Amino acid sequence: MSDDLLRRLKVHGSVPAHIAIIMDGNGRWAKGRALPRPLGHHAGMRAVREVIQGCLDAEVGVLTLFAFSQENWQRPAVEIDALMSLLEEYIARELDNLRSKRVTVCVLGDLGRLAPGARQAVDRIMADTAGGSDLALNLCISYSSRAEIARAARQLAEDAVAGRLVPAEIDEDAVARRLYTAPWPDPDLLIRTSGEQRISNFLLWQLAYAELYVTPMLWPDFTRRDLFEAILEFQRRERRFGRVSV
Ligand code: IPE
Ligand code: IPE
Ligand code: MG
């Protein structure tokens, strides 16, 4: 069934080069089953596997997943601990598989706030998957888009003070080159699960012209097929970038 959709989207139009996903609704998924919230996060790992495989199959070049925001540090300690253990578990379990599928993993965010175990796991997956050519997988962890933009502004100011740059040279490219996402094109498609119609401090700069796709589905229920449905919907959109239709 989902392979049918895959064939359709390949003939239907161009596949997004970069898909970004706000993976939301794990807590509500667990609550609906009278389970503790961490079990919702655990169930969400299956959906992560599904979308990675879907991107490989559809030949999407870049997948950026919002896994943990800086604001999420304000959640109860038990939930944060569970999420950090899950991150370590995910990396230990998936590393070989990702490497064999030629997926390069990058972790974007304020990694200085991670506990030593999580930090080591993150460094390991980045080092051990470097050079994979089939998919760039970005995991946004301890990530805040405003903090990312402020960091870019700070770097520009430091370069100016050190005489490496004159302020007149600061243009959009100069800012973009100092964001975590500098190596990749901007997302073409943003998917948010759980029906919330907001950006929640994710890729504010990079999403300027992304197509937005909000589904009421909760993240642990999201499948490869749902990813293909979102891509098909993307292919039906007319992207004008401020111009008039042709
Ligand atoms: C998304 O699910 C995962 C993280 C933010 C870490 P939530 O935990 O936000 O789930 P809901 O929104 O409470 O259902
Ligand atoms: C956004 O979800 C962050 C991640 C999915 C990691 P939240 O659940 O934290 O966002 P809000 O609080 O509903 O805006
Ligand atoms: Mg949420």
Side-chain angles (χ1 to χ4, degrees), residues 24-25 28 75 192:
D24 198 13
R28 277 163 281 175
R75 292 190 178 195
R192 183 166 188 156

Side-chain angles (χ1 to χ4, degrees), residues 23-29 37 41 67-68 72 75 79 83:
M23 309 185 290
D24 198 13
N26 297 348
R28 277 163 281 175
W29 185 93
R37 292 177 59 88
H41 299 309
F68 189 81
N72 291 150
R75 292 190 178 195
E79 182 164 349
L83 280 162

Side-chain angles (χ1 to χ4, degrees), residues 5 26 60 73 108 110 139 141 165 221 224 233 243:
L5 284 187
N26 297 348
V60 171
W73 288 114
L108 317 183
D110 181 5
L139 299 177
I141 293 170
L165 173 82
D221 295 325
R224 178 172 164 271
E233 164 64 23
R243 302 188 187 99

Side-chain angles (χ1 to χ4, degrees), residues 8 19 51 60 73 77 106-107 109 115 134 137 155 159 165 173 178 185 204 207 216 220 244:
R8 254 172 63 200
I19 297 180
V51 293
V60 171
W73 288 114
C106 265
V107 182
D134 285 3
L137 171 65
Q155 288 180 10
D159 286 350
L165 173 82
D173 276 351
R178 286 163 179 84
L204 300 177
L207 292 173
V244 291

